[in-house]
Amino acid sequence: MTARRLEGGRLVLASHNAGKLREIAALLRPYGIETISAASLGLAEPEETGATFEENAELKALAAAAGAGLPALADDSGLVVPALGGAPGIYSARWAGAGKDFRIAMAKVEARLVGRSDRRAYFVAVLTLAWPDRHVETFRGEVHGRLVWPPRGEKGFGYDPIFLAEGESETFGEMDPGKKHRMSHRAVAFAKLVTTSLG
Ligand code: IMP
């Protein structure tokens, strides 16, 4: 089946995170896509009940497309640690608790890795474009590396201070944000979206 393309016009961004909204709006502007946030349309965020990044991105994009009657873009992302059976995975945000304290989430990952030699980890980002007729196009990006301890750097967010991408000497927390954004899991997923649905 050929992929459905996004033909200019307005696109609803399902994220309620201001930083992500700004970043995605800037990425789409050169393609003549005007973005509006789900929050500005009064759309509620659905509960993330999926078992995979793809299911969560799709349920968020479908809810926004249905609510707005317009195409919508949603994302879901997280850190996957194979030695922990894939945890924290889709629960990456929830591991930081109600206070969204990622020092706690990083310490939890480290505590569970004690005594294990396999410190591989990767970030995943899934982007889903959904249309009001329930058609979806889904794109996955990954960036692989390993975990370090103690955390290093103040520039990023989430698990950035303990993630060292393959071939790099700085953690994502130490790295210039422009460089991180060019190589990140979100950049990889976004490049696939552009090639398939916008290019
Ligand atoms: P989401 O907003 O439901 O996609 O939650 C993603 C969670 O995964 C975030 O709260 C972070 O904990 C983590 N995460 C995703 N991408 C990154 C990243 O680039 N750096 C650090 N942590 C990330």
Side-chain angles (χ1 to χ4, degrees):
M1 202 173 66
T2 52
R4 189 181 295 183
R5 296 169 51 81
L6 198 59
E7 303 292 353
R10 293 200 300 165
L11 177 70
V12 179
L13 300 182
S15 175
H16 285 243
N17 172 315
K20 272 190 200 168
L21 289 172
R22 269 196 305 275
E23 194 180 319
I24 296 173
L27 287 165
L28 291 170
R29 211 167 289 126
Y31 298 94
I33 310 265
E34 183 200 336
T35 53
I36 37 177
S37 73
S40 73
L41 296 173
L43 301 176
E45 262 186 300
E47 225 190 304
E48 296 187 19
T49 52
T52 62
F53 293 109
E54 280 79 0
E55 283 175 19
N56 281 334
E58 286 172 13
L59 70 86
K60 287 186 273 189
L62 283 166
L70 288 169
L73 176 66
D75 78 309
D76 200 46
S77 58
L79 178 74
V80 176
V81 184
L84 302 183
I90 59 168
Y91 303 106
S92 293
R94 282 167 263 186
W95 274 35
K100 301 197 171 161
D101 186 343
F102 281 93
R103 285 169 305 188
I104 292 174
M106 289 188 286
K108 215 187 269 186
V109 170
E110 181 58 23
R112 294 185 188 196
L113 278 177
V114 165
R116 295 173 198 259
S117 56
D118 179 4
R119 301 189 61 86
R120 288 173 304 151
Y122 56 95
F123 279 119
V124 175
V126 170
L127 291 172
T128 293
L129 275 175
W131 282 261
D133 67 358
R134 298 190 63 80
H135 180 86
V136 294
E137 298 285 347
T138 294
F139 309 94
R140 170 184 273 243
E142 297 182 356
V143 58
H144 288 248
R146 66 185 174 85
L147 298 178
V148 297
W149 194 261
R152 289 165 22 196
E154 307 285 329
K155 290 184 185 149
F157 70 98
Y159 298 87
D160 279 343
I162 58 170
F163 183 77
L164 197 59
E166 265 166 26
E168 299 295 331
S169 56
E170 293 177 309
T171 67
F172 270 5
E174 295 171 310
M175 194 177 271
D176 162 61
K179 181 174 177 186
K180 180 199 160 186
H181 292 151
R182 285 191 294 278
M183 67 184 292
S184 76
H185 41 312
R186 259 178 295 281
V188 174
F190 199 80
K192 289 183 185 172
L193 182 153
V194 166
T195 304
T196 305
S197 298
L198 292 172

